[in-house]
Amino acid sequence: MNTLVIVLIAAVVLVCAYAGYGRWLAKTWGVDPNAKTPAVRLEDGKDYVPTNGWTVFAHQFSSIAGAGPVTGAIQAAAFGWLPVLLWVLIGGAFFGAVTDFGALYASVKNDGKSMGLLIEKYIGKTGRKLFLLFCWLFCGIVIAAFADMVAGTFNAFDAEGAQVEAAFANGAAGMVSIMFMVFAVVFGFIQKKFNFSGWKEAVIGIAFIVLSFVVGMNAPIILGKAGWSYITFVYIFFAAVLPMWMLKQPRDYMTTFMFGAMIAGAVIGLVVAHPTMNLPVFTGFNNEKLGTMFPILFVTVACGAVSGFHSLVSSGTSSKTVENEKDMLKVGYGAMVLESLLAVLALCVAGAAAAADGTPAAGTPFQIFSRGVAGFFEMFGVPVSIATVFMTMCVSALALTSLDAVARIGRMSFQELFSVDDMEHAEGWRKLFCNVYFSTFITLAFGFLLTQIGYANIWPLFGSANQLLSALVLATLCVFLKVTGRNNKMLFPPLVIMLCVTFTALVQRLIAMVKAISAAASTAIPAGETTWGAVFIANGLQLILAILLIVLGLNIVFHSVKSYKNSEKDSEKVAAQSKQHLTNIPS
């Protein structure tokens, strides 16, 4: 089948979903353009910052469009391109976008509260503590998976220590990334002082992008994976502690232009070249490497269709910057359907790169996608060196933009886990654990430990935890919509399906880890030492995490169902009206 036809079908479906289902949700739930948002009412210049709707959209899309839509879609294509395409479109429109929009909407309607605080309000304090622990563990997994990808992308050496063929491109892309961070801070201060908008803001952002590439192409940094890993963790530390306006928002704004060029290059390339989709349509319900289609297809595609991580971004950062409720549709629903389109593009690029007999192209999903789109840019006369560096930077930026968001969310989850209402008179150890720098350090240290597993090994666990997180968010949204007198029936199908998918996947992962550890414990290397230590790093940590996630998930589901049964429909609205009535009674 022609890849252009696939992209056009996907674009039409997703645009119709946004214009139809997305707008229906906004009307059903009640988006009020005249209401004052938390960003306006609680502006503090740090987290609560009223921001232009398209800038918030850029932040949301840059944060959620991580490695998932590219890596997940290409890996899941082992089952065939048709199952992946169907799940991306159905999941994106009716699962992922609804969850993202719902989380943003609930947070904006509750003073920009994070998902953990929303759970405390609607599920209870126990549910909140369980969720925050789950969230923190999940953030550690995301940090590990994506940081390992970034370090591997910029790595200039092979396992034997020799420089790889792409050493210059990798080193140049790494330097571009560093300059991106530097110019983002400069951009942030310029915006803080002059508050540029429209074309002026765009010109400055594009100018800094060009300058970053000029420096990177002329001064590449040739380092190994370990060196880039350290640099990555230093960057995300600062991204987690600095004010949003200083680094995160300007970097996301600049990155969106790159993503736009990358997506445009892929689309135009597919339109002009319209290569054939060489991957098989369907390979069967069982895959020797991945396992059974249910539930592996769903957790492997991950962010391209539905992601719990997106909800953390929606309620953790975006909800505190939306200056008008009317922007929530494009930020919450729109950013997700655009990510689904990116997943379809990645699938088509991989299909075009495959051999005529259906054999997938060699390399990691990032490498396949990068080479494919770089080839499209070359068709339009872009020098191969620039095209390669640009795409290497783009695919690493996919992971970096999620990394800085998840590091901040992980830090906030850790702080909320140990915080109390009266922090001024709290114990010394509690103040230490809630300290911004200490909580960030602990979160990143946990993520750094998990990087020893490698992203390829941890990806199935990431996918399972990610989808389970989305189910837990949906459960909370069901309670929120019920007590506020809003329609919540559209959330039940995705909630039930995601619970079935994720718990099945986690149990399968747990069994696989137990088998791997048992097999390794009985195997001795020639020196007489067992391989237990290495296997524990690769499988034992995952086993512990899988058990924790299952236990925490079941507990949160139990508390959510209990809270839903005990809550009364429209009770929050009635209580608010009663309070207002008492306030209006003359004394």
Side-chain angles (χ1 to χ4, degrees):
M1 189 172 183
N2 194 298
T3 53
L4 178 58
V5 175
I6 296 173
V7 172
L8 289 176
I9 291 173
V12 170
V13 169
L14 294 172
V15 169
C16 289
Y18 177 85
Y21 193 54
R23 291 187 184 279
W24 177 79
L25 287 175
K27 183 178 179 180
T28 301
W29 289 342
V31 169
D32 184 5
N34 298 317
K36 285 190 175 182
T37 63
V40 176
R41 290 187 288 103
L42 306 173
E43 182 177 1
D44 61 5
K46 187 174 182 180
D47 291 317
Y48 290 87
V49 183
T51 308
N52 175 270
W54 287 109
T55 302
V56 182
F57 170 84
H59 158 72
Q60 176 83 2
F61 177 70
S62 296
S63 297
I64 68 175
V70 172
T71 301
I74 293 177
Q75 283 186 330
F79 291 107
W81 64 263
L82 184 59
V84 177
L85 177 66
L86 291 176
W87 172 234
V88 166
L89 296 182
I90 295 172
F94 299 104
F95 288 62
V98 175
T99 309
D100 295 7
F101 184 27
L104 179 64
Y105 179 81
S107 182
V108 168
K109 290 296 187 181
N110 283 275
D111 296 331
K113 285 184 172 67
S114 67
M115 191 53 60
L117 293 176
L118 289 175
I119 286 181
E120 178 179 8
K121 180 176 180 179
Y122 295 106
I123 307 298
K125 288 190 175 182
T126 302
R128 175 202 172 204
K129 292 293 184 183
L130 292 170
F131 179 82
L132 288 173
L133 180 55
F134 182 99
C135 180
W136 185 74
L137 291 172
F138 171 74
C139 287
I141 294 172
V142 178
I143 289 170
F146 288 10
D148 190 66
M149 287 181 188
V150 171
T153 301
F154 296 152
N155 180 28
F157 300 95
D158 58 22
E160 284 72 37
Q163 278 196 21
V164 297
E165 185 178 348
F168 173 82
N170 295 351
M175 186 60 181
V176 173
S177 295
I178 292 175
M179 295 312 301
F180 235 65
M181 301 165 195
V182 174
F183 285 129
V185 174
V186 177
F187 193 10
F189 277 103
I190 291 176
Q191 279 294 82
K192 183 74 171 176
K193 182 172 179 60
F194 299 105
N195 194 28
F196 289 126
S197 61
W199 68 268
K200 294 178 181 179
E201 184 182 24
V203 168
I204 295 172
I206 294 172
F208 281 144
I209 293 172
V210 173
L211 286 173
S212 297
F213 272 89
V214 170
V215 175
M217 292 293 293
N218 289 280
I221 297 179
I222 308 300
L223 287 175
K225 187 175 181 179
W228 282 115
S229 183
Y230 297 141
I231 292 175
T232 301
F233 274 90
V234 169
Y235 161 67
I236 55 179
F237 177 87
F238 284 107
V241 300
L242 291 177
M244 288 283 291
W245 63 265
M246 190 182 296
L247 176 59
K248 186 84 177 74
Q249 282 186 336
R251 188 186 186 283
D252 288 344
Y253 181 81
M254 291 163 59
T255 303
T256 302
F257 283 105
M258 287 181 51
F259 286 168
M262 177 186 71
I263 293 173
V267 170
I268 295 172
L270 290 172
V271 170
V272 174
H274 50 270
T276 302
M277 168 60 79
N278 292 323
L279 291 172
V281 177
F282 179 61
T283 61
F285 289 97
N286 291 292
N287 180 269
E288 184 178 348
K289 183 178 180 181
L290 295 181
T292 57
M293 180 179 290
F294 180 89
I296 302 304
L297 170 72
F298 303 92
V299 298
T300 302
V301 171
C303 308
V306 58
S307 169
F309 165 64
H310 297 181
S311 304
L312 303 182
V313 176
S314 295
S315 64
T317 55
S318 296
S319 63
K320 297 176 178 63
T321 57
V322 171
E323 67 179 1
N324 193 305
E325 286 194 11
K326 69 179 182 180
D327 296 326
M328 289 194 293
L329 176 61
K330 65 170 170 273
V331 173
Y333 199 98
M336 179 61 227
V337 295
L338 183 58
E339 180 168 1
S340 294
L341 181 61
L342 176 58
V344 174
L345 290 174
L347 178 66
C348 290
V349 170
D357 63 356
T359 303
T364 65
F366 265 12
Q367 291 170 335
I368 294 170
F369 183 70
S370 179
R371 288 196 302 262
V373 181
F376 290 150
F377 279 114
E378 290 174 49
M379 288 169 42
F380 308 126
V382 179
V384 61
S385 59
I386 295 177
T388 303
V389 170
F390 177 77
M391 281 309 303
T392 302
M393 171 58 191
C394 281
V395 296
S396 64
L398 287 170
L400 278 169
T401 49
S402 291
L403 266 174
D404 48 31
V406 80
R408 195 179 194 91
I409 293 166
R411 180 262 292 175
M412 293 167 67
S413 298
F414 190 87
Q415 288 177 293
E416 288 182 20
L417 188 60
F418 295 99
S419 67
V420 291
D421 293 335
D422 186 12
M423 283 301 298
E424 185 178 347
H425 300 96
E427 303 94 323
W429 67 267
R430 195 179 292 276
K431 289 183 178 180
L432 174 65
F433 277 36
C434 292
N435 178 270
V436 171
Y437 303 103
F438 181 82
S439 56
T440 302
F441 176 80
I442 294 297
T443 301
L444 297 187
F446 174 57
F448 185 80
L449 174 64
L450 294 181
T451 57
Q452 308 309 306
I453 298 174
Y455 93 89
N457 290 322
I458 208 171
W459 190 263
L461 183 61
F462 157 74
S464 302
N466 191 29
Q467 310 300 73
L468 178 54
L469 183 58
S470 69
L472 302 179
V473 171
L474 285 169
T476 305
L477 294 178
C478 283
V479 181
F480 159 72
L481 292 173
K482 180 182 179 181
V483 302
T484 55
R486 296 176 171 93
N487 187 355
N488 64 0
K489 298 299 185 290
M490 74 290 290
L491 300 184
F492 287 105
L495 170 60
V496 173
I497 291 172
M498 295 320 300
L499 285 174
C500 293
V501 165
T502 52
F503 279 119
T504 303
L506 282 170
V507 170
Q508 285 185 351
R509 194 65 184 159
L510 190 150
I511 294 171
M513 294 302 98
V514 170
K515 288 181 177 179
I517 292 173
S518 299
S522 61
T523 304
I525 59 176
E529 300 175 3
T530 66
T531 57
W532 174 260
V535 170
F536 177 77
I537 291 295
N539 297 288
L541 286 176
Q542 292 186 76
L543 175 63
I544 294 171
L545 285 172
I547 293 173
L548 280 172
L549 294 175
I550 291 173
V551 172
L552 290 170
L554 287 172
N555 270 282
I556 297 170
V557 170
F558 170 77
H559 283 87
S560 299
V561 172
K562 183 179 178 181
S563 178
Y564 188 84
K565 289 175 63 178
N566 294 336
S567 62
E568 295 182 16
K569 186 175 181 180
D570 218 15
S571 57
E572 185 174 297
K573 186 177 180 180
V574 171
Q577 289 174 343
S578 299
K579 183 178 179 181
Q580 182 65 33
H581 175 70
L582 291 172
T583 302
N584 293 334
I585 296 176
S587 55

